[in-house]
């Protein structure tokens, strides 16, 4: 099997099959017995029980909305049932989209095991920078919603797919929303295509109304035979959950991290058997909680094992989470939102809900998009509680009061309405949607956000004054699987002769962080300082990359330098793929080795709109040039103490203040040079 995640979830990690070895380890008889038990387990899933209904609806309706509790078998079973019913014959394939990479990878591995095939043959996956699938062979392809959008750039009607299942549609990720809008167009042209919209929340009205095209005239009647019903069908799959007793805090909680840790410890002390799942907001929280619980647990008589779970976690650590616990010890999984609906962890009986998740918020006036830990919706809180009742009656401890719950919004806001739309608008343009304002949106984004995005694309030189993609830059940027600002940085680097450095920086920025987690603050600061240069974080990454390449034993080198080995391995892979793409685009210019000034220039050319100026000499407060937002350099930046006068940065994260991340010191003259219209001359 290929792919880091293969086998992360083995058949039988869920009840009732108690399996700890892989099929390959066994002789044929034993493997047959295990397969039989996996099949039996399959047949007990609610979705499987509804297969006749499901297949009938898919056969007869253009769109079918399937609603079912997490764990009912939507993601793993529906594509298999479709294959069994013949939907993948004649070289056609079934696509199933996920908002998260980790879900696409782990589920593909699971389904490959269920079907007893090697991952990458009949079952495969495709996520950004990692495709394990074979064209013409793969019948079921799990992929991120973003990847399917990219496929549309080369195959606008997605003609190789007979059925497209948009999974986790309730999450309303940006890519899902765009995808749904485009798929609505495609089914008008391809009436033989079937859509399945799968959601874990009951409210299906939005999807049903959106896909109801029964009143429209058909654009094509190229197909003989009967046409599907153009009113969407809805299938409710009965849940398989047990009751969950919900406890609220009596008083508002001051520090949810501390509260989560002490709640986990007291569950371990007084409650019966069963694992614990804690919902926190992000990587930092998760790592801090793992450490706090591990320290506390040392003092306890019975073992309590703390495990992290977040997008981007290395495969070996994921495996620990999905492996069933030994009866002698209890596991507590510290997770981000990812465990809410998209992956299933066996053994969970207790849930602790902080009530928060990390959410994007975009302010088109200040042009600031920040990640903020914000209260979740009531629908999310219910989903989280539901994770406790999958195998038997469970308990959910909410770290907020019942009054607070009543003030939470019933449903989350679709991402498209609270994000910076730079990539979205570019993607639509690249797909030939000229009038992005008039696009058929499931929920339209605010007009100001669109205008901002159009303006910035123009300033980046990606679009011309008629809002068309420029040639070649606009087309090249849209071909690269990077955000438009990183893509512009990279293409500028190629242009001005520091392509090697541009590639490394773009690759590093496409992983969450290259630094190791769970180390002491002081140790981290020292490690970062050895690579640090006055130009800032992005240029310092070049030193880390060089050090990594030169190391004899890379794993050991990473450990000694507080660098995350898995992240670096990914950087190398991404960098290689990006360099191949550049070659196809006809890049490659002469190289001026090690000219740092050119590198910072290229960075400025991409990130000029994220520029800030030190407010007063000797201070540490910055103001964004556009929008005058108060900003601070994140303490993990190599420039945290240096406080250079002018900087550009990659992103903003809101903790108790707005912190800027991946910071580069620049010469302000480059700003007006890079974007004369954006920063009118003389103003800077
Ligand atoms: O998509 P949905 O949440 O409806 O369910 P699913 O992901 O298809 O999972 C169906 C069942 O398969 C779960 O209840 C788990 O028991 C099992 N499963 C598993 O054991 N390991 C996996 N990697 C995925 C699913
Ligand atoms: Mg699912």
């Amino acid at each position: 099997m290929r792919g880091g995640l293969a086998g992360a979830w083995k058949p039988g990690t869920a009840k009732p099959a108690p399996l700890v070895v892989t099929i390959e380890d066994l002789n044929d008889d034993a493997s047959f017995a295990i397969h039989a038990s996996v099949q039996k387990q399959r047949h007990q899933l609610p979705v499987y029980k509804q297969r006749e209904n499901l297949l009938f609806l898919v056969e007869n309706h253009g769109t079918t909305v399937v609603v079912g509790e997490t764990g009912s078998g939507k993601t793993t079973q529906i594509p298999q049932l479709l294959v069994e019913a013949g939907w993948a014959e004649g070289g056609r394939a079934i696509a199933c989209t996920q908002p998260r990479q980790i879900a696409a990878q782990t589920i593909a591995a699971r389904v490959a095991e269920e079907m007893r095939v090697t991952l990458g043959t009949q079952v495969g996956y495709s996520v950004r920078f990692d495709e394990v699938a074979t064209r013409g062979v793969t019948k079921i392809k799990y992929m991120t919603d973003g990847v399917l959008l990219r496929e549309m750039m080369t195959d606008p009607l997605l003609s190789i797919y007979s059925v497209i299942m948009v999974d986790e549609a309730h999450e309303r990720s940006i890519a899902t929303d765009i995808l749904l809008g485009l798929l609505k167009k495609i089914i008008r042209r391809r009436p033989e295509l079937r859509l399945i919209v799968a959601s874990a929340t009951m409210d299906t009205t939005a999807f049903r109304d959106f896909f109801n095209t029964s009143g429209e005239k058909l654009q094509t009647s190229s197909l003989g035979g009967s046409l599907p019903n153009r009113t969407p069908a809805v299938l409710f799959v009965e849940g398989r959950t047990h009751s969950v007793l919900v406890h609220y805090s009596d008083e508002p909680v001051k520090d949810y991290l501390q509260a989560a840790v002490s709640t986990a410890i007291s569950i371990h002390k007084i409650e019966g058997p069963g694992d614990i799942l804690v919902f926190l907001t992000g990587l930092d929280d998760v790592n801090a909680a793992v450490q706090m619980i591990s320290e506390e647990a040392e003092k306890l008589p019975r073992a309590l094992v703390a495990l992290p779970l977040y997008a981007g976690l290395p495969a070996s650590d994921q495996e620990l989470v999905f492996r069933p616990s030994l009866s002698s010890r209890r596991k507590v999984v510290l997770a981000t939102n990812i465990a809410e609906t998209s992956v299933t962890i066996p053994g969970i009986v207790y849930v602790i809900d902080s009530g928060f998740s990390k959410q994007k918020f975009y302010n088109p006036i200040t042009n600031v998009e920040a990640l903020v830990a914000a209260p979740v919706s009531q629908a999310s809180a219910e989903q989280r509680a539901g994770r406790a009742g999958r195998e038997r009656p469970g308990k959910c401890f909410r770290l907020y009061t019942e009054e607070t719950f009543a003030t939470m919004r019933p449903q989350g806001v679709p991402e498209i309405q609270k994000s910076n739309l730079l990539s979205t608008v570019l993607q639509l343009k690249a797909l030939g949607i000229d009038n992005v304002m008039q696009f058929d949106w499931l929920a339209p984004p605010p007009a100001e956000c669109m205008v901002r995005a159009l303006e910035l694309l123009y300033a980046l030189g990606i679009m011309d004054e008629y809002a068309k993609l420029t040639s070649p830059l606009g087309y090249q940027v849209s071909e690269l699987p990077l955000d438009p600002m990183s893509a512009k940085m990279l293409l500028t680097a190629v242009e001005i002769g520091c392509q090697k450095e541009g590639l490394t920086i773009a690759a590093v920025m496409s992983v969450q962080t290259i630094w190791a987690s769970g180390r002491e603050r002081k140790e981290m600061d020292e490690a970062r300082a050895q690579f640090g240069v006055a130009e800032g974080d992005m240029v310092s990454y070049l030193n880390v990359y060089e050090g990594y390449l030169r190391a004899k034993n890379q794993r050991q080198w990473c450990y000694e330098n507080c660098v995350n080995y898995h992240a670096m391995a990914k950087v190398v892979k991404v960098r290689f793929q990006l360099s191949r793409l550049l070659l196809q685009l006809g890049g490659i210019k002469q190289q001026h080795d090690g000219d740092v000034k050119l590198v910072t220039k290229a960075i400025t050319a991409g990130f000029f709109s994220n520029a800030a100026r030190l407010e007063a000499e000797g201070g540490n407060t910055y103001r964004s040039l556009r929008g005058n937002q108060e900003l601070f350099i994140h303490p993990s930046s190599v420039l945290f103490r240096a406080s250079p006068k002018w900087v550009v940065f990659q992103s903003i994260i809101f903790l108790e203040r707005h912190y800027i991340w991946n910071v580069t010191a620049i010469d302000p003259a480059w700003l007006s040079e890079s974007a004369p219209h954006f920063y009118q001359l003389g103003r800077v």
Side-chain angles (χ1 to χ4, degrees):
M1 266 186 225
R2 284 178 53 207
L5 285 146
W9 291 0
K10 294 185 177 121
T13 47
K15 287 169 79 180
L19 181 74
V20 279
V21 283
T22 55
I23 287 175
E24 288 82 352
D25 297 336
L26 299 162
N27 65 32
D28 282 354
D29 287 353
S31 135
F32 181 77
I34 284 164
H35 187 64
S37 112
V38 168
Q39 287 306 324
K40 188 163 153 226
Q41 200 184 322
R42 262 194 84 192
H43 295 178
Q44 282 162 355
L45 288 170
V47 163
Y48 193 89
K49 293 192 178 141
Q50 292 257 17
R51 70 184 181 287
E52 303 285 334
N53 281 341
L54 175 82
L55 292 172
F56 177 82
L57 295 178
V58 174
E59 180 75 44
N60 293 294
H61 291 259
T63 306
T64 304
V65 181
V66 179
V67 180
E69 280 280 350
T70 305
S72 56
K74 300 182 298 297
T75 314
T76 55
Q77 303 311 313
I78 292 177
Q80 288 190 71
L81 293 173
L82 294 169
V83 170
E84 286 159 15
W87 283 95
E89 268 152 35
R92 298 175 303 167
I94 289 147
C96 178
T97 67
Q98 300 291 320
R100 295 190 178 82
Q101 294 196 350
I102 179 179
Q105 294 165 312
T106 50
I107 287 162
R110 162 79 186 187
V111 172
E113 301 244 26
E114 283 190 15
M115 290 172 61
R116 304 183 90 193
V117 298
T118 305
L119 189 63
T121 59
Q122 276 100 312
V123 182
Y125 71 80
S126 181
V127 301
R128 189 166 75 135
F129 297 121
D130 187 13
E131 170 153 23
V132 180
T134 317
R135 212 187 157 115
V137 175
T138 300
K139 297 187 162 164
I140 301 177
K141 190 149 112 187
Y142 289 95
M143 57 178 101
T144 50
D145 38 20
V147 163
L148 189 60
L149 279 180
R150 280 212 165 257
E151 286 192 5
M152 265 187 217
M153 284 170 60
T154 43
D155 180 7
L157 293 179
L158 295 174
S159 55
I160 67 161
Y161 300 109
S162 58
V163 184
I164 293 170
M165 170 164 163
V166 179
D167 202 0
E168 308 282 342
H170 62 273
E171 282 207 21
R172 301 294 300 276
S173 73
I174 292 188
T176 289
D177 271 28
I178 307 181
L179 200 53
L180 292 175
L182 292 166
L183 286 170
K184 186 174 170 184
K185 274 171 161 290
I186 295 179
I187 45 174
R188 291 197 185 104
R189 304 269 301 276
R190 280 189 62 199
E192 82 285 7
L193 175 69
R194 295 295 188 272
L195 287 189
I196 296 178
V197 179
S199 160
T201 46
M202 299 300 284
D203 188 7
T204 59
T205 341
F207 302 128
R208 234 176 30 206
D209 292 349
F210 184 70
F211 282 107
N212 193 345
T213 56
S214 55
E216 294 174 15
K217 267 211 176 126
L218 267 186
Q219 291 180 352
T220 164
S221 54
S222 59
L223 226 79
S226 60
L227 289 169
N229 189 330
R230 288 181 295 145
T231 316
V234 180
L235 179 69
F236 288 96
V237 178
E238 141 257 348
R240 200 178 65 148
T241 50
H242 302 271
S243 65
V244 174
L245 199 62
V246 175
H247 297 267
Y248 288 95
S249 300
D250 294 334
E251 288 169 24
V253 168
K254 284 209 190 72
D255 178 349
Y256 64 76
L257 201 57
Q258 189 58 54
V261 170
S262 43
T263 309
I265 300 289
S266 48
I267 291 174
H268 184 54
K269 284 184 181 156
I270 59 181
E271 298 281 351
D275 294 330
I276 308 170
L277 172 60
V278 187
F279 285 99
L280 296 171
T281 62
L283 193 81
D284 299 343
D285 271 11
V286 165
N287 285 329
V290 167
Q291 198 155 6
M292 285 156 81
I293 293 183
S294 306
E295 278 164 21
E296 290 278 324
E298 281 174 13
K299 304 174 205 149
L300 302 172
R302 221 180 111 230
L304 177 66
V305 188
L307 301 170
L309 178 66
Y310 47 83
L313 186 71
S316 51
D317 292 341
Q318 281 170 32
E319 199 173 343
L320 297 176
V321 170
F322 296 114
R323 198 182 285 168
S325 291
L326 301 171
S327 57
S328 60
R329 51 187 186 172
R330 195 196 300 265
K331 87 183 164 194
V332 45
V333 178
L334 289 313
T336 61
N337 223 11
I338 186 162
E340 202 173 286
T341 60
S342 58
V343 294
T344 319
I345 307 166
I348 302 298
V349 179
Y350 306 99
V351 163
I352 301 173
D353 176 12
S354 67
F356 287 91
S357 69
K358 212 163 253 185
Q359 298 170 30
K360 253 196 256 170
F361 283 96
Y362 177 63
N363 178 343
I365 313 227
T366 53
N367 195 28
V368 165
E369 181 182 62
L371 273 176
V372 181
V376 298
S377 66
Q378 291 176 348
S380 285
E382 297 302 356
Q383 280 297 337
R384 290 175 169 197
R387 299 306 104 239
R390 278 215 39 255
E391 296 176 11
R392 59 188 140 113
K395 291 186 182 172
C396 171
F397 299 84
R398 289 183 173 156
L399 303 178
Y400 43 92
T401 63
E402 199 163 0
E403 292 74 54
T404 307
F405 179 78
T407 63
M408 285 158 37
R409 49 166 79 240
Q411 301 285 337
V413 179
E415 229 180 44
I416 193 110
Q417 295 183 327
K418 49 180 189 180
S419 302
N420 175 342
L421 298 177
L422 197 62
S423 302
T424 306
V425 172
L426 173 63
Q427 195 142 32
L428 287 172
K429 289 273 169 193
L431 288 164
I433 310 292
D434 266 340
N435 193 341
V436 286
M437 301 284 212
Q438 297 291 315
F439 183 68
D440 195 356
W441 296 103
L442 196 52
E448 306 92 287
C449 298
M450 287 284 209
V451 171
R452 271 294 173 156
L454 290 165
E455 181 197 27
L456 187 49
L457 286 168
Y458 174 70
L460 283 161
I462 293 171
M463 255 172 36
D464 64 18
E465 60 270 42
Y466 308 105
K468 296 252 184 271
L469 289 186
T470 54
S471 182
L473 184 69
Y475 286 96
Q476 289 175 333
V477 167
S478 67
E479 291 282 330
L480 291 170
L482 296 172
D483 68 273
M485 300 204 288
S486 304
K488 171 76 188 287
M489 182 271 298
L490 176 56
L491 291 165
T492 309
V494 173
E495 188 63 39
I496 64 180
C498 52
Q499 154 163 327
K500 282 191 193 157
E501 289 77 10
L503 277 169
T504 307
I505 293 172
V508 169
M509 288 196 304
S510 73
V511 304
Q512 225 170 18
T513 171
I514 55 159
W515 301 111
S517 58
R519 300 290 189 82
E520 294 290 326
R521 171 82 181 268
K522 191 163 160 277
E523 203 185 349
M524 283 303 318
D525 284 346
E526 282 169 10
R528 278 194 280 249
Q530 351 153 39
F531 301 108
V533 290
E535 287 78 13
D537 300 307
M538 302 193 194
V539 180
S540 304
Y541 292 141
L542 299 174
N543 290 335
V544 180
Y545 181 75
E546 283 300 317
Y548 174 84
L549 284 193
R550 270 201 306 265
K552 283 208 184 70
N553 181 337
Q554 290 175 325
R555 212 179 261 273
Q556 193 187 343
W557 182 89
C558 285
Y559 182 79
E560 285 164 2
N561 291 286
C562 295
V563 170
N564 181 331
Y565 173 72
H566 296 282
M568 283 314 286
K570 180 149 186 217
V571 166
V572 172
K573 190 168 155 184
V574 169
R575 191 182 182 283
F576 174 72
Q577 295 195 22
L578 286 174
S579 69
R580 234 182 19 193
L581 277 169
L582 281 187
L583 214 61
Q584 285 166 13
L585 293 178
I588 308 288
K589 285 268 160 63
Q590 218 196 339
Q591 182 77 22
H592 305 268
D593 249 334
D595 189 336
V596 176
K597 196 169 154 207
L598 290 181
V599 178
T600 34
K601 256 189 163 171
I603 294 171
T604 313
F607 293 91
F608 61 80
S609 64
N610 289 348
R613 171 174 37 190
L614 187 66
E615 202 165 42
E617 201 83 42
N620 63 350
T621 313
Y622 284 79
R623 290 276 168 186
S624 66
L625 291 199
R626 274 286 192 101
N628 207 32
Q629 171 73 45
E630 185 182 65
L631 301 166
F632 295 88
I633 294 183
H634 192 271
S636 72
S637 167
V638 299
L639 294 181
F640 177 56
R641 290 206 173 73
S643 302
K645 203 157 173 212
W646 300 86
V647 294
V648 293
F649 54 89
Q650 185 199 5
S651 54
I652 298 180
I653 136 165
F654 185 81
L655 296 168
E656 57 287 350
R657 312 157 144 186
H658 283 96
Y659 282 109
I660 53 180
W661 188 266
N662 279 341
V663 187
T664 302
I666 55 149
D667 177 344
W670 300 340
L671 289 175
S672 34
E673 196 180 304
S674 303
H677 300 279
F678 201 75
Y679 295 115
Q680 285 151 24
L681 288 171
R683 273 187 51 203
V684 172

